[in-house]
Amino acid sequence: MSNRSRATKLDIIILLAICAVAFWWRLGKLGLIDPDEPFYAQTAREMVRTGDWVTPKIFGLPQFEKPIFFYWLEADAFKLLGENEFAARAPATLFATLLVLALYWFGSRVLGRRAGFLAALILATGGQYILMARLVLTDVPFGLFVSGALVCFWFATEDDARRNKWVVLSFVCSALAVLTKGPLGSLLPMLGAAATLLFTKRRHPFRGAGLWGGLAAYAIIAGPWYAAMFWKFGWEYFNAFVIHENIVRFFRAEHPKFNRIYFYLALLLVGSIPWSPLIPLVIGRARAEARRHAVHVFLWCWLLTSFVFLTLAASKLPSYGFVLYPPLVLLMGSTLDAVLQNGFRDGTERVLALLVGALQTVAIVGLLVHESFALAAMAVGGFLTLAVVLGLRRLSWSWIATSAAGIFAFVIVAMTSANARIEEMTSIKPVALEAARMRRDGAPIVCSRILARGIFFYTQQPLIVLANQPQPFFTPHPLPVIVGAEGLKEFVQQHGTALCVLRAGERGMLEAALSSTQRDHLHSLGNRIIVRVSAEMVAR
């Protein structure tokens, strides 16, 4: 075995070990986090129990928010591993691991082995990536498929002898992305490819046998399921999925508080912790590196086209930004490799790196102390402060080691001593189990819209949603809705009793329905309220 082969094998072993701790360790110990994790898990459960592997359903009726591929993964995991949190998260975690290895492979081929390893290391130990790798979300497999489509496109422009193979593989990846999350699976790779061809002046590779083979593969993979849905539901599906879930979301913000022009820039800075100090270096070196290496032009085209599109879209979420990390970390890995070899280019780079390093340390310690994770705060703060101090003289492997160790410290503390506290803050599981215990005589469960999916997943009991408007969901759900405090009073008086489960921020609506003598008897679990309300308790 050659020295290079041994080095590559060692790199892969190290990356797999990191993924094992950062992604897989105690993966099922935290209850599902509402509202998205229970949504996907419940849909997969209904798929398994009904035997309908074509139409996604929730609460017993079809739902058209996402295409089918991720639900297939979830349902298969449930059949293989049982209906539990580990099985629900395993598919996304597997794809997160595969993406780390895929970026190492691609980075090693186009940037050099060490740069590829550093890029994969940055990805596997980045704060947001670890979080996303541990959640039931479509964005992780979607990010892998979009990355695969663009990587294969790049090789198709580089390797004319095997161009047809790469073009077909690019179409295959794009089709899987479309089957995972919809039209963006084709749109984002097309934008990145078009920008690359424009700025590199290369001839496009989509021609001849490769084009026709790619189109055929695309149609075979993505076509049958969409055809089945249009055949079964016609305009209803077109209106719900194509128009509402894609076009309307682009122009109308589902979460208006996130609709800010700087949202994804801030997300990348915060989500890249502990590697955020590299971002100003990547930006500062962009022009010079692009002049020297065509692959840097490709990576910037990949990153910026997706970044601009997501920024223009009104609906923004942290998970949507996941697709930005693969090209960013490849640029970061290349930059880090250059700095390790040659040091900072000038004093400005050093000051910027240290400033961002200090700010990220203050931010993360402040956040953790605020949430009372004292041990995690000390561990992460200590490691990251040490990383900044070590960087005062020059960037070295010790900085990399301490930064990665800081993230590991956080994962270990979060999954052990702080697990119960985190679950109480983020997961619906504790309050859902308490609701199941408190429910007597068939009392109806009344809950807020955000908690409905998780409570249903853990209790499997009928629900009524309490909200300020008749249609509280961005995407309609087949659940009865009670409107406001007056609606709750009327409901309780009609049914005699109800078990109410709400978020702390909705306390006012509940208090408005109760008599003044009952308002001090609300039982809280973390940031949720659970109370059994009888007709005698409501205000007259």
Side-chain angles (χ1 to χ4, degrees):
M1 182 183 294
S2 66
N3 290 337
R4 181 176 179 82
S5 297
R6 283 194 292 269
T8 298
K9 181 178 289 188
L10 179 60
D11 288 346
I12 293 173
I13 291 172
I14 292 172
L15 291 173
L16 287 175
I18 290 171
C19 292
V21 176
F23 305 164
W24 291 95
W25 183 62
R26 294 175 67 87
L27 182 62
K29 293 300 181 182
L30 185 67
L32 297 181
I33 297 173
D34 52 303
D36 290 329
E37 285 200 296
F39 172 77
Y40 294 116
Q42 179 59 34
T43 300
R45 170 189 276 170
E46 295 191 26
M47 182 175 287
V48 172
R49 294 187 178 182
T50 63
D52 184 350
W53 290 71
V54 176
T55 306
K57 295 184 178 72
I58 193 166
F59 307 119
L61 293 176
Q63 59 92 356
F64 305 133
E65 283 200 32
K66 295 292 187 296
I68 197 66
F69 185 76
F70 189 69
Y71 301 124
W72 283 341
L73 296 176
E74 289 284 288
D76 285 334
F78 279 169
K79 291 191 71 173
L80 181 65
L81 303 170
E83 294 177 3
N84 54 66
E85 289 87 351
F86 179 87
R89 293 180 175 132
T93 306
L94 175 61
F95 275 80
T97 306
L98 293 175
L99 182 52
V100 169
L101 297 178
L103 284 192
Y104 168 70
W105 172 79
F106 176 67
S108 297
R109 293 192 62 167
V110 300
L111 300 170
R113 187 188 64 82
R114 190 165 74 166
F117 173 77
L118 291 171
L121 175 69
I122 292 168
L123 188 66
T125 56
Q128 188 184 1
Y129 193 82
I130 292 176
L131 176 63
M132 298 266 308
R134 287 178 164 270
L135 296 178
V136 188
L137 293 171
T138 60
D139 302 273
V140 178
F142 178 73
L144 175 62
F145 294 140
V146 169
S147 299
L150 280 160
V151 163
C152 291
F153 155 77
W154 174 252
F155 282 134
T157 67
E158 287 274 292
D159 185 1
D160 195 60
R162 291 181 288 181
R163 173 177 53 82
N164 290 336
K165 181 192 78 170
W166 291 117
V167 168
V168 171
L169 288 175
S170 182
F171 273 98
V172 167
C173 291
S174 183
L176 289 170
V178 168
L179 205 57
T180 301
K181 205 168 180 179
L184 278 184
S186 287
L187 180 60
L188 294 183
M190 286 172 58
L191 291 174
T196 300
L197 294 173
L198 176 65
F199 286 101
T200 62
K201 310 298 183 184
R202 297 185 175 200
R203 185 185 181 190
H204 77 83
F206 302 110
R207 59 186 187 273
L211 173 62
W212 296 113
L215 289 173
Y218 188 99
I220 291 170
I221 293 170
W225 180 78
Y226 280 102
M229 294 300 286
F230 281 115
W231 180 75
K232 289 180 67 175
F233 299 102
W235 172 253
E236 179 187 1
Y237 180 72
F238 183 86
N239 183 60
F241 179 70
V242 177
I243 296 179
H244 184 270
E245 295 299 330
N246 288 276
I247 298 174
V248 172
R249 279 182 186 269
F250 185 86
F251 294 102
R252 175 187 162 198
E254 181 181 4
H255 306 279
K257 66 179 180 179
F258 293 139
N259 190 18
R260 303 290 185 269
I261 195 72
Y262 55 81
F263 179 76
Y264 288 111
L265 178 60
L267 177 74
L268 292 177
L269 283 168
V270 175
S272 296
I273 290 175
W275 309 106
S276 302
L278 290 170
I279 293 180
L281 275 63
V282 168
I283 296 172
R285 296 179 178 217
R287 179 175 295 182
E289 292 298 325
R291 286 173 178 169
R292 285 197 293 266
H293 308 291
V295 70
H296 278 253
V297 178
F298 163 63
L299 293 175
W300 276 108
C301 289
W302 175 0
L303 173 61
L304 291 179
T305 51
S306 294
F307 180 86
V308 170
F309 179 87
L310 293 176
T311 299
L312 290 176
S315 287
K316 296 178 175 67
L317 280 175
S319 60
Y320 295 171
F322 181 86
V323 76
L324 302 174
Y325 282 101
L328 177 62
V329 300
L330 286 165
L331 291 166
M332 293 168 75
S334 179
T335 299
L336 181 55
D337 184 34
V339 174
L340 287 170
Q341 290 186 65
N342 306 310
F344 294 110
R345 292 192 305 180
D346 51 40
T348 301
E349 274 199 346
R350 182 180 293 105
V351 169
L352 284 173
L354 292 175
L355 177 61
V356 175
L359 288 175
Q360 76 172 9
T361 301
V362 171
I364 197 168
V365 172
L367 173 66
L368 294 174
V369 170
H370 174 70
E371 296 296 350
S372 302
F373 300 146
L375 181 58
M378 287 187 290
V380 176
F383 277 117
L384 295 185
T385 302
L386 178 59
V388 171
V389 171
L390 290 169
L392 285 173
R393 204 167 40 166
R394 64 186 300 273
L395 199 60
S396 66
W397 283 99
S398 57
W399 180 84
I400 297 171
T402 52
S403 296
I407 288 296
F408 276 164
F410 175 76
V411 172
I412 291 170
V413 172
M415 291 294 102
T416 52
S417 60
N419 187 81
R421 171 65 172 150
I422 293 174
E423 184 171 69
E424 185 180 86
M425 290 170 51
T426 63
S427 175
I428 191 60
K429 184 177 182 178
V431 74
L433 296 180
E434 179 66 9
R437 186 191 67 81
M438 292 176 61
R439 186 172 183 263
R440 301 188 299 272
D441 306 325
I445 299 177
V446 176
C447 65
S448 63
R449 66 179 182 87
I450 295 295
L451 307 182
R453 299 161 169 178
I455 292 176
F456 187 76
F457 180 83
Y458 282 110
T459 67
Q460 293 294 287
Q461 299 298 323
L463 302 175
I464 300 92
V465 174
L466 177 62
N468 288 318
Q469 54 184 320
Q471 181 45 265
F473 297 99
F474 184 84
T475 299
H477 281 345
L479 293 173
V481 177
I482 298 171
V483 180
E486 291 300 317
L488 178 60
K489 288 194 290 184
E490 181 180 342
F491 180 85
V492 173
Q493 288 167 354
Q494 182 179 6
H495 290 79
T497 185
L499 187 62
C500 295
V501 185
L502 303 172
R503 294 180 297 166
E506 296 160 324
R507 185 185 185 98
M509 185 161 44
L510 183 57
E511 289 180 337
L514 299 177
S515 63
S516 57
T517 58
Q518 299 294 331
R519 294 172 185 170
D520 296 329
H521 300 287
L522 302 181
H523 175 46
S524 296
L525 279 176
N527 59 356
R528 286 138 179 120
I529 299 166
I530 180 168
V531 60
R532 189 179 178 87
V533 179
S534 64
E536 293 76 21
M537 297 171 63
V538 300
R540 303 295 179 182

